[in-house]
Amino acid sequence: MLTILIVDDEKLERNGIKFLLKREKEEFRILEATNGKDAMGVLASNHVDILFSDVKMPYMNGLELVRQVRETNEDMEIVIFSGYNDFSYAREALRYGVVDYVLKPVDPEEFSKTLLRVIQNIKTRVSEREQWERQTDYLTKYFFIDYLYTSNKENAVKLEKLTAGGDHILSRCVRMILVSASNGFFETEEEHFTGALQDQIQREIYYVNLNSNESLLLFTEKYTNYRALADSLRQFFLQQFETDCYFAVSKPVENWRSMPEEFRRLEKLLEEQFYQPGHHVFLSGETGENTQDAAGEDSEIMEQISHDIKYKDIAHLRQDFGRLEQKYKAGEKFSQMYVKFVFSSILKEIYEQMDPTDEKVLSKKVDRLYHCRKISDVVDIVSGAVEELEKYIQDQQDGFRGEITTVKNYIYHHYGEKELGPEKLAALVYLSPGYLSAIFKEETGVTLNRFVREVRMNKAKELLENTNKKISQIAKEVGFSNSSYFCRSFREFFGASPESCRKGITDEESIQEVQES
């Protein structure tokens, strides 16, 4: 609803304007003042969209009122009322940005035309401001996402300018929660869940989408219990959207400039979802013992160790083997034969993975293990086998590079498939999703999800520049089922809308044009 201030020392004149306003289709909030001095008081405590003012008034006339208003408010729509004898005043007022003047006595039809013109000016200005704010937000997220992944100092300088003054929420954010979903959740449900999310958590939040399966939530509060917040977020996604997500919670950060390093830790933490399906919240800085059940059942630990050996995942093999070692060194009473059976099973799996035909080496190791008198000696034998497996895997490193090449080639040729997550890609090369994610990041410097997004976006840009295909058609060809999500993702990736890209104009240039005009 627009607010209108009517300034005239004659009550009859003010009532006449109010009567004309009530005849219009739109509803207005109407304020009144008897002269310019009173009007300045009203303006000091109210937001006013349109000012209707007479020229001749006591204490402060309309001309002086317009001059003072323009010193602090360039956008307010101002219309002057004047009689024929006051026309010279009205003409002078036009120099201060008065939109129009209306001659007294007021003609209802002319007044209505003037009002419609003023309202259209406001709507146009609001529309332009909203467009500018959208462009600025897209550009801010474009530079921020690039800075998260690359720590690019040049983009950091541009981001600094966009968030200068401390008013932008990003400049006040001190914690991050990286959210991982599946099945392209953030593409299909983003428009629905962002508003519901704000209503659910009732706190200041800055949302940044990274790809169809990952988003980053940034918060300004220093002392909130973020583990509890992540747990409540999980319940929100489960109950509202029947989607089970994983959450990596950052340590406190000073500001956005120190976020890239912590963001990389969050990416690493989220790899744990493949190894700990029962855990959905991971906190940066916690030790593995805190995020896992160190006294877990043998069957669970042994199953995970078998998984690690099968997929040659040394990092998690050491971690899970440490859990087992901790359990049996805890001082509890276990049958020696049972303990030796457990560790000999691991030994057998390790040597079968390296050389299934060399039974003599395995037989000697098992024999030594069963002659041990202390648990520490048993552990040392199996630890040695783990080290042998690690060396064996390192010798095969070229083979893993071949698997990475296979995955990359598949993405290059099948980027149009909707589901290109770690699970599907890992199955192609017979690795676990977690291990493929880890070696892919180590080999390429980016996560699988990020790489898929890069390939899709670059292909979309190529199609925009070299074909006349519709944007909705291009979105579908590069694996997006939601055209509006594709457009937002494109802008946040390239810093320009698909339409601007086709014309060769960036959002940054568009914003500069608006600022310079």
Side-chain angles (χ1 to χ4, degrees), residues 25-78:
K25 293 179 181 178
E26 294 196 42
E27 290 188 11
F28 304 99
R29 175 180 176 230
I30 300 174
L31 305 175
E32 298 179 59
T34 58
N35 56 63
K37 188 176 180 181
D38 289 343
M40 291 302 295
V42 173
L43 291 169
S45 55
N46 293 275
H47 169 79
V48 172
D49 299 291
I50 304 171
L51 171 64
F52 287 126
S53 178
D54 191 17
V55 172
K56 287 189 174 181
M57 296 178 293
Y59 304 110
M60 181 189 290
N61 64 30
L63 195 62
E64 179 61 20
L65 170 63
V66 170
R67 188 186 68 79
Q68 291 197 25
V69 167
R70 276 291 176 253
E71 288 179 358
T72 57
N73 193 323
E74 296 181 357
D75 292 336
M76 188 183 298
E77 297 292 318
I78 303 176

Side-chain angles (χ1 to χ4, degrees), residues 237-262:
F237 283 106
L238 271 174
Q239 293 169 9
Q240 298 283 341
F241 301 97
E242 297 181 352
T243 296
D244 208 357
C245 297
Y246 296 85
F247 304 85
V249 182
S250 79
K251 294 187 291 187
V253 292
E254 188 173 345
N255 49 49
W256 60 260
R257 298 163 197 81
S258 56
M259 287 182 181
E261 185 177 352
E262 183 63 15

